[in-house]
Amino acid sequence: MMLSAFTQTEGRAEPLKVVATLSAYADIAKTIGGAEVEVSFIAAPIFDPHFIEPRPTDILRLKRADLFIHGGLDLEAWRGPLVNAVARADIRPGGAAELDLSKRIKVLDVPTGMLTRADGDIHIFGNPHYWLDPRNGLIIAEDVANKLQELKPDKKSQFASNYEAFKKEITQKFVEWRSLMKPYQGAKLVAYHNGWSYFMNFIGLKTEVFLEPKPGIPPTPRHLEDVTKYIEGNHVKAIIQFSFNPTDAARSISKKTGVKSLVLSQGVGDVDEVGSYIEIFDYNVRQLEAAMRND
Ligand SMILES: [Zn+2]
């Protein structure tokens, strides 16, 4: 391709092609990149991001991408094989066209002993669901802004001002979300999957017991008996789960104990009401507030 002196100094005129693993990352990238990016994502939010099978079209999109944004750690267990199939050095870890969003995140639930996937665990580097703390959303947005500035230096001020606008909006929301959750500080919830540690940290509630005996391992009748006892003994008001988790276990415990069963959002578009990263929290906080209030 011929580059004129003008395009070399001014950067590329066409939008950067950004491919993100998750819809939540894609939404933040769109917010920061605006008209300077063309964003798509690989994992449809209605499916479990741990267990996506990338399609041949994902490989093609990544071959042409200017930037690959992913979560690092081991949420996207399919990422390694996908990157291998794309065969581009610059989207591998540390490459100029890749952005690993976990780099500046304080990772929770990091295992203390040796763990391998052979144990059935799918959180071997710690809990990878960190975008569900909106404060981490701000770190993600800043990382994205820095990376986009690197790729399109002539649009630096635009990315910086989009970041500032996002920061202003979400930090105002922090106050609203926290005040709605204030009466319920320290309350215990049960979750299907250990995917909520970051969100709980933010809102001041707790998930310490899960319907899955280990992340990725389906519930057993024996384990569900223990969970039922825990719910009864700890005044647990709600079992929370992702839209793609099976609901039968929660429903049967709910019938027995009266605990509410809630589907909360983890991605943009996994429930109808959620059309942006910020709306994930709007939705979840509203759902929880209603469940905790109506005793
Ligand atoms: Zn997980």
Side-chain angles (χ1 to χ4, degrees):
M1 190 171 68
M2 286 271 292
L3 285 176
S4 72
F6 177 80
T7 54
Q8 275 169 357
T9 353
E10 296 300 309
R12 303 155 28 122
E14 70 269 33
L16 293 169
K17 291 187 209 65
V18 177
V19 178
T21 50
L22 306 186
S23 60
Y25 302 155
D27 185 68
I28 293 174
K30 185 71 205 159
T31 301
I32 304 303
E36 302 302 326
V37 293
E38 206 179 274
V39 185
S40 62
F41 55 87
I42 295 168
I46 53 164
F47 298 120
D48 190 337
H50 280 297
F51 302 113
I52 295 293
E53 280 186 46
R55 299 151 301 178
T57 51
D58 296 318
I59 298 174
L60 282 178
R61 260 192 301 152
L62 269 182
K63 279 186 190 289
R64 297 188 203 116
D66 297 303
L67 176 60
F68 175 44
I69 300 179
H70 63 86
L73 308 178
D74 67 344
L75 179 87
E76 308 121 337
W78 38 273
R79 188 181 65 238
L82 174 64
V83 166
N84 285 341
V86 174
R88 273 177 59 179
D90 62 349
I91 63 161
R92 292 184 184 280
E98 77 87 54
L99 178 60
D100 175 351
L101 297 171
S102 71
K103 294 284 187 201
R104 290 202 298 137
I105 301 292
K106 188 183 178 304
V107 177
L108 303 175
D109 308 332
V110 177
T112 42
M114 281 282 284
L115 261 188
T116 67
R117 278 179 187 278
D119 300 316
D121 203 310
I122 51 172
H123 289 174
I124 56 176
F125 305 118
N127 196 313
H129 299 268
Y130 55 80
W131 70 95
L132 294 175
D133 182 334
R135 293 168 298 190
N136 288 341
L138 205 47
I139 296 174
I140 291 168
E142 195 174 29
D143 284 352
V144 168
N146 288 335
K147 189 70 189 179
L148 292 178
Q149 285 173 16
E150 207 178 291
L151 297 172
K152 256 194 176 190
D154 58 315
K155 302 293 177 188
K156 186 173 173 157
S157 62
Q158 199 170 315
F159 299 138
S161 79
N162 289 347
Y163 168 75
E164 287 305 325
F166 175 75
K167 183 178 176 182
K168 191 173 172 208
E169 184 184 1
I170 202 167
T171 47
Q172 277 168 0
K173 285 282 187 177
F174 288 173
V175 181
E176 179 193 324
W177 294 328
R178 283 217 183 93
S179 84
L180 281 167
M181 291 287 99
K182 201 169 176 208
Y184 315 109
Q185 293 305 290
K188 290 173 177 158
L189 303 173
V190 162
Y192 184 92
H193 178 74
N194 184 10
W196 302 99
S197 304
Y198 299 90
F199 181 53
M200 292 298 127
N201 250 5
F202 175 73
I203 61 174
L205 279 66
K206 286 181 195 161
T207 46
E208 292 166 337
V209 168
F210 310 96
L211 300 190
E212 289 179 332
K214 275 187 199 178
I217 304 294
T220 61
R222 175 67 214 275
H223 179 69
L224 292 179
E225 269 174 43
D226 292 343
V227 175
T228 305
K229 280 184 202 137
Y230 174 85
I231 287 173
E232 289 168 339
N234 289 276
H235 311 290
V236 173
K237 298 250 183 73
I239 299 174
I240 58 174
Q241 45 189 103
F242 298 133
S243 63
F244 41 78
N245 295 144
T247 52
D248 45 342
R251 228 184 288 141
S252 97
I253 295 179
S254 172
K255 216 181 259 175
K256 250 180 255 164
T257 63
V259 69
K260 293 186 181 78
S261 167
L262 300 180
V263 168
L264 298 185
S265 172
Q266 60 87 46
V268 178
D270 60 351
V271 300
D272 290 344
E273 292 86 342
V274 174
S276 71
Y277 177 73
I278 285 179
E279 284 173 7
I280 291 175
F281 307 98
D282 275 336
Y283 181 79
N284 289 351
V285 166
R286 275 202 313 271
Q287 293 293 308
L288 274 179
E289 205 270 330
M292 304 300 281
R293 178 165 33 94
N294 301 321
D295 212 353

